[in-house]
Amino acid sequence: MAMQMGEREGLVKVTEWQKTYYAGDSGIQSGATTVRSDDDGTEYSTKKYTYTTTVTENPADLESQYTMTRAQRVRAAMFPETMAEGTTVLSTQLDSSQQTNVQKLAEPSQLLKTAIIQLINYQDDAELATRAVPELTKLLNDDDQVVVNKAAQIVNQLTKKEASRRALMQSPQMVAAVVRAMQNTGDMETARATASILHNLSHQREGLLAIFKSGGIPALVRMLSSPMESVLFYAITTLHNLLLHQEGAKMAVRLADGLQRMVPLLKKSNPKFLAITTDCLQLLSYGNQESKLIILANGGPEGLVQIMRNYNYEKLLWTTSRVLKVLSVCPSNKPAIVEAGGMQALGKHVTGSSQRLSQNCLWTLRNLSDAATKQDGLDGLLQVLISLLSTDDVNMLACVTGILSNLTCNNARNKTHVTQNNGVEALIHALLRAGEKEDVAEPATCALRHLTSRHPEAEVAQNAVRTHYGIPAIVKLLNKPYYWPVVKAVVGLIRNLALCPTNQAPLRDADAIPKLVNLLINAHQDAQKHGSASQQTYQDGVRMEEIVEGCTGALHIMARDPVNRSFIADMNTIPLFVQLLYSPVDNIKRVAAGVLCELALDKQSAVAIDGEGACSPLMELLHSSNEGIATYAAAVLFRISEDKNADYKKRVSVELTHSLFKHDPAAWDMAHSNAMIDPAYGQEGISILALLALVICMTKCRQTLTCRMITHRPTIRCRDLTMPANRLIILQGQEMEQKWNEYLKPSCPVEPFISWFAVAHFPQLDWVYTHTAVLYAIITVVRAGIQFYLTLPSYENDGARLTFSFLFFCVENIVLLGCYRGGV
């Protein structure tokens, strides 16, 4: 009885338990303990998760769901198609944001199922295509164009699926049949279908090889002349894929006249089509000079520049800039690109948001800039380049400084514009940031060298370098180890800076003189290792003779300052300069004679120069065909001979006379045949002025002598001295000085030749007369001196002072000594 009562109580408890909501999760699966609130009937877990259970109206269905095993629930989640239609599964998900383990397993299982289905279909497509290939190949070779068109359409559809496409490309006969059909058809739809087939095949390397072996490249090149846009697109993209990935395709395209067909396509208006076309041009022209010339012959530079000017599509601009960068290293294409406005068009994109486009444009401008030195209309580009000098990107800085260096070379307008827009300051700051980085230091220094000479604002630039603390940084670049291109540029810049007297002391304080002297010694020693000028020493592409010339020229200009002059002489440099007079290189002879000319201004240095045996080579240099060398040599000899005896002066005078008349044999013969030398002067010998004076004694007519005194270029200041020249008289003493101050001193610097030739050599000479032939000879010599002065390459300021030496021989002395007196 008691047992029956216990069983009844147990059944009641089970029934009550089943009526509760604990059936949703017994705690075995989730491990969560739950509590029940008697107030509202809502269950809460200790983790505060909540969920709601929906109960169907049919208790039997609910019972079956609750009693479902784990395997059944997994099968229902992973393979729902196996469940009977209408069956619902009770979810055990407590939080909608978190998947249950069963749900996590369901997703990859569905992907696996899809992959298996696709594999089955792939195999079906491959088998279908394989079976169809022989028949389709036969149809493509049919004579009936309608049949060929239908077959091409079918093959085109097959190539859109990967499995069938791979099956088709495995058949060389099929690919060859497609190529043949494309070549022979006159139907646009067939051409489009066959071009599409090859385009689809070109997406795999096997397809590219099949097209290449089947002779598809010539056929595709012919399609570039098709009037149908879709055919053009398929043809150019297929060729592009071949050029990118198929070995030998580039040469095949060139042989098929692909470049001749592609360049005219630059006139199309579709940006994406143009991007592919320009990339093909870049692939074909890179490293192939013949291709670059073909592009040039077909008007490629103009079309490419037009694209850079008119489009904004970044990819097109980038691919076009790549082509222009390749063409910009071709000497034939450079002028064409510049002439087409390439500098201005590329300059529009150097400050854009695309880094790769900006970099390509800058490199292209860098390559083109040496051919654009005479180009006008670059003020805007120069302004942009100056602003870019503030960048910290070393590569960009190298490009910008290189462009400025080239554009300011031999272009006074560009030099002036850069100087007026704070370009000197920006270059110095860029140089300071770059430190000793050679890619920046060399072009930046070259640009500063250009800006500090030969333009109206050159003196402003010279002062700007000093005021912005550039001199110490510039001189520091002469420290070892030497990078010779940088050294060459720095030496030239120091020479230009020394032209400004205010810069002489800062250069000296920065130890420029000892560094230049040491550099000169090292370079001269390297140059001496080879015995002739034909065996010149190169280091980093720079001839050591250029370094010797540059250092000597810089020391020449610095020697204008008295303190520097003494400093240079004290460093025992005179023997080296005298040795350089024997150099086989004319430019080295000229600068060596020039620096000796400056050093000879000091009496002690003049004695040292004479003591080193400089007179012998200087006498030889008087006969040099180089007017600059002869002029410097004459000046040095004059300064050395000031304290010499009469015999030495006579020998120097004869040498100078011969040097002056060596290019005018008629005047020389006239001088010897007509000269009537006073016996009083027989022992003195004949000087240049005596020769001229005696020759002009034969005149019988009145002439007018006009002299134009030129002080410097490009401004010419003139003082016309017009006089009846039937009678000239030697002016002596105070009268000579008076006439000098009256006529010439305002226009010309005082030179010592007056006192030497006029007073010392002609104390007793009274009257001389003019002769028409002699006046002609004098004017000829003057003209030669002026022409030499106006055409001096980079030393016009140096040569100016010494060019007057020749002018004084033949003009100033005669004018001063022969001004008309009293109308006799």
Side-chain angles (χ1 to χ4, degrees):
M1 190 66 170
M3 184 178 295
Q4 290 178 354
M5 291 295 292
E7 290 178 354
R8 290 192 186 99
E9 291 176 0
L11 291 174
V12 171
K13 291 181 178 180
V14 169
T15 302
E16 290 177 353
W17 178 79
Q18 289 179 341
K19 290 181 179 180
T20 66
Y21 291 97
Y22 292 106
D25 185 355
S26 65
I28 295 175
Q29 300 297 328
S30 66
T33 57
T34 59
V35 294
R36 181 178 177 83
S37 173
D38 293 335
D39 297 333
D40 55 7
T42 304
E43 292 186 10
Y44 296 93
S45 69
T46 56
K47 296 183 179 181
K48 305 303 180 183
Y49 290 124
T50 62
Y51 64 89
T52 302
T53 302
T54 303
V55 180
T56 60
E57 294 181 357
N58 191 344
D61 292 340
L62 180 62
E63 182 69 19
S64 64
Q65 292 180 28
Y66 283 152
T67 58
M68 183 181 293
T69 64
R70 181 186 299 176
Q72 288 173 324
R73 292 199 308 273
V74 169
R75 184 178 65 184
M78 298 178 63
F79 304 103
E81 66 274 6
T82 62
M83 304 297 293
E85 186 175 356
T87 303
T88 59
V89 179
L90 185 65
S91 174
T92 60
Q93 186 176 11
L94 299 177
D95 188 353
S96 60
S97 63
Q98 296 181 354
Q99 290 182 327
T100 63
N101 292 333
V102 173
Q103 290 172 333
K104 292 177 180 179
L105 290 172
E107 185 175 354
S109 66
Q110 291 296 322
L111 294 175
L112 176 61
K113 180 186 70 174
T114 303
I116 293 173
I117 294 172
Q118 290 177 347
L119 182 61
I120 295 171
N121 294 335
Y122 184 95
Q123 185 65 28
D124 291 343
D125 292 339
E127 291 177 357
L128 175 63
T130 303
R131 289 194 298 267
V133 162
E135 185 63 26
L136 289 172
T137 303
K138 181 180 178 181
L139 294 175
L140 286 171
N141 291 325
D142 197 277
D143 293 334
D144 190 341
Q145 291 300 312
V146 176
V147 174
V148 173
N149 176 264
K150 296 299 183 183
Q153 299 292 344
I154 295 172
V155 174
N156 186 29
Q157 291 299 321
L158 290 174
T159 56
K160 293 180 180 180
K161 296 183 179 181
E162 184 179 358
S164 55
R165 181 167 63 245
R166 289 189 175 275
L168 291 173
M169 69 179 62
Q170 297 300 323
S171 172
Q173 295 81 9
M174 168 59 74
V175 179
V178 173
V179 171
R180 193 178 304 110
M182 186 170 63
Q183 285 178 319
N184 299 332
T185 186
D187 179 63
M188 287 293 100
E189 287 301 320
T190 304
R192 186 191 60 78
T194 51
S196 176
I197 293 169
L198 297 181
H199 169 72
N200 293 333
L201 295 178
S202 68
H203 292 132
Q204 276 81 33
R205 289 190 178 273
E206 296 85 351
L208 292 171
L209 181 61
I211 295 171
F212 180 72
K213 289 184 175 180
S214 301
I217 288 180
L220 288 167
V221 169
R222 290 191 190 95
M223 291 296 103
L224 293 178
S225 300
S226 173
M228 184 177 287
E229 293 294 328
S230 58
V231 174
L232 281 176
F233 174 79
Y234 289 135
I236 198 66
T237 51
T238 306
L239 287 170
H240 185 242
N241 291 335
L242 285 163
L243 292 171
L244 283 173
H245 306 295
Q246 180 57 49
E247 184 179 356
K250 294 179 183 178
M251 183 56 66
V253 172
R254 294 187 189 111
L255 293 175
D257 293 337
L259 283 166
Q260 289 86 337
R261 302 289 182 94
M262 289 181 184
V263 173
L265 297 178
L266 295 175
K267 298 178 181 179
K268 297 291 182 180
S269 58
N270 188 324
K272 294 183 178 180
F273 175 83
L274 289 172
I276 298 173
T277 303
T278 51
D279 204 37
C280 289
L281 292 176
Q282 191 272 338
L283 293 168
L284 289 168
S285 59
Y286 182 78
N288 189 280
Q289 181 63 22
E290 184 180 357
S291 297
K292 297 173 187 176
L293 295 176
I294 292 173
I295 293 174
L296 173 63
N298 287 271
E302 292 80 4
L304 294 167
V305 170
Q306 195 72 12
I307 291 174
M308 295 299 297
R309 185 182 292 118
N310 297 330
Y311 288 86
N312 296 318
Y313 181 43
E314 190 272 343
K315 187 174 183 179
L316 171 59
L317 294 173
W318 176 67
T319 54
T320 305
S321 67
R322 292 180 71 211
V323 187
L324 287 170
K325 184 169 71 171
V326 171
L327 297 180
S328 65
V329 300
C330 172
S332 301
N333 274 282
K334 273 187 182 183
I337 297 173
V338 172
E339 190 65 27
M343 299 293 291
Q344 294 87 343
L346 289 163
K348 291 174 54 179
H349 306 287
V350 296
T351 56
S353 58
S354 173
Q355 183 69 22
R356 63 177 186 173
L357 174 59
S358 298
Q359 196 67 42
N360 270 335
C361 288
L362 283 173
W363 277 115
T364 308
L365 288 168
R366 173 69 175 82
N367 295 338
L368 293 173
S369 55
D370 62 338
T373 55
K374 305 300 181 184
Q375 186 76 6
D376 294 328
L378 298 180
D379 292 354
L381 175 60
L382 291 171
Q383 192 66 46
V384 171
L385 294 172
I386 293 171
S387 66
L388 289 176
L389 287 172
S390 60
T391 181
D392 292 325
D393 187 334
V394 176
N395 292 327
M396 183 175 290
L397 206 55
C399 290
V400 173
T401 53
I403 298 167
L404 286 172
S405 174
N406 286 336
L407 292 181
T408 55
C409 180
N410 296 324
N411 190 312
R413 177 185 175 86
N414 289 348
K415 292 178 184 181
T416 302
H417 184 81
V418 173
T419 303
Q420 291 175 344
N421 287 274
N422 301 320
V424 174
E425 178 183 359
L427 282 166
I428 291 172
H429 290 169
L431 191 60
L432 292 173
R433 289 198 310 276
E436 297 180 358
K437 290 184 175 63
E438 298 162 357
D439 291 340
V440 177
E442 180 193 0
T445 308
C446 287
L448 288 171
R449 182 183 64 191
H450 299 155
L451 294 175
T452 51
S453 68
R454 298 188 188 176
H455 68 100
E457 299 291 326
E459 188 173 353
V460 174
Q462 294 163 7
N463 286 310
V465 173
R466 181 187 71 257
T467 56
H468 291 99
Y469 310 102
I471 289 179
I474 291 166
V475 175
K476 185 180 179 182
L477 294 174
L478 293 179
N479 294 339
K480 292 183 178 181
Y482 296 135
Y483 178 62
W484 294 105
V486 174
V487 168
K488 178 182 175 182
V490 170
V491 168
L493 176 56
I494 290 175
R495 180 203 173 276
N496 291 344
L497 293 176
L499 292 172
C500 177
T502 316
N503 288 334
Q504 293 275 5
L507 285 170
R508 181 174 62 250
D509 296 339
D511 293 332
I513 293 175
K515 289 183 179 181
L516 286 171
V517 171
N518 292 332
L519 181 61
L520 172 60
I521 294 172
N522 293 333
H524 181 57
Q525 290 173 349
D526 289 341
Q528 279 188 316
K529 294 177 182 178
H530 300 274
S532 64
S534 61
Q535 297 177 332
Q536 294 169 343
T537 306
Y538 284 87
Q539 293 192 28
D540 299 322
V542 177
R543 291 188 297 112
M544 290 298 97
E545 290 77 9
E546 293 177 332
I547 301 298
V548 172
E549 177 191 348
C551 291
T552 309
L555 290 170
H556 173 203
I557 303 303
M558 294 193 70
R560 292 180 178 179
D561 180 78
V563 178
N564 289 345
R565 185 160 58 241
S566 300
F567 193 2
I568 294 170
D570 292 342
M571 294 188 70
N572 196 30
T573 56
I574 290 177
L576 177 57
F577 293 142
V578 172
Q579 187 178 358
L580 292 178
L581 295 175
Y582 295 95
S583 171
V585 181
D586 280 353
N587 285 342
I588 294 179
K589 292 178 183 177
R590 175 172 53 79
V591 293
V595 70
L596 288 174
C597 178
E598 292 294 342
L599 294 178
L601 290 173
D602 292 338
K603 187 64 177 178
Q604 186 177 356
S605 296
V607 173
I609 293 170
D610 189 24
E612 291 295 332
C615 292
S616 178
L618 288 171
M619 287 290 189
E620 294 295 327
L621 295 179
L622 284 176
H623 308 287
S624 172
S625 59
N626 187 309
E627 296 294 341
I629 295 175
T631 303
Y632 282 129
V636 178
L637 285 172
F638 165 71
R639 288 167 181 170
I640 292 175
S641 66
E642 285 184 332
D643 294 332
K644 298 293 184 180
N645 55 34
D647 291 338
Y648 185 89
K649 291 182 178 181
K650 179 180 68 175
R651 185 160 59 93
V652 172
S653 180
V654 171
E655 291 291 341
L656 291 173
T657 302
H658 180 267
S659 174
L660 181 63
F661 282 97
K662 64 185 176 183
H663 298 302
D664 195 346
W668 177 259
D669 294 338
M670 182 181 297
H672 278 282
S673 62
N674 294 330
M676 296 179 292
I677 303 178
D678 192 308
Y681 301 101
Q683 296 179 353
E684 293 282 334
I686 184 168
S687 70
I688 180 65
L689 186 55
L691 179 65
L692 292 173
L694 293 171
V695 167
I696 61 177
C697 289
M698 305 302 296
T699 183
K700 294 183 179 179
C701 62
R702 289 176 172 266
Q703 299 291 337
T704 299
L705 177 64
T706 301
C707 300
R708 294 184 181 272
M709 300 304 171
I710 302 176
T711 56
H712 59 83
R713 57 178 302 208
T715 303
I716 297 179
R717 293 188 299 175
C718 303
R719 177 177 291 274
D720 289 350
L721 301 179
T722 304
M723 68 200 76
N726 64 320
R727 180 168 294 184
L728 303 174
I729 186 169
I730 298 295
L731 303 178
Q732 301 181 22
Q734 294 181 355
E735 189 174 4
M736 176 186 292
E737 183 179 354
Q738 177 185 350
K739 292 297 182 182
W740 170 268
N741 293 329
E742 179 181 355
Y743 288 103
L744 298 178
K745 192 174 182 180
S747 298
C748 300
V750 177
E751 289 287 340
F753 293 97
I754 301 300
S755 58
W756 186 41
F757 282 108
V759 178
H761 286 262
F762 300 96
Q764 301 176 3
L765 189 60
D766 271 340
W767 298 92
V768 292
Y769 296 90
T770 61
H771 191 283
T772 305
V774 176
L775 290 177
Y776 176 78
I778 294 171
I779 295 172
T780 301
V781 175
V782 173
R783 185 183 298 113
I786 293 173
Q787 288 175 348
F788 161 66
Y789 167 59
L790 293 177
T791 56
L792 283 174
S794 60
Y795 296 86
E796 70 271 21
N797 292 328
D798 308 334
R801 300 166 63 229
L802 294 176
T803 300
F804 283 118
S805 300
F806 276 128
L807 301 183
F808 281 124
F809 286 142
C810 55
V811 179
E812 279 91 333
N813 282 302
I814 289 185
V815 173
L816 291 172
L817 303 177
C819 290
Y820 174 67
R821 173 182 288 181
V824 179

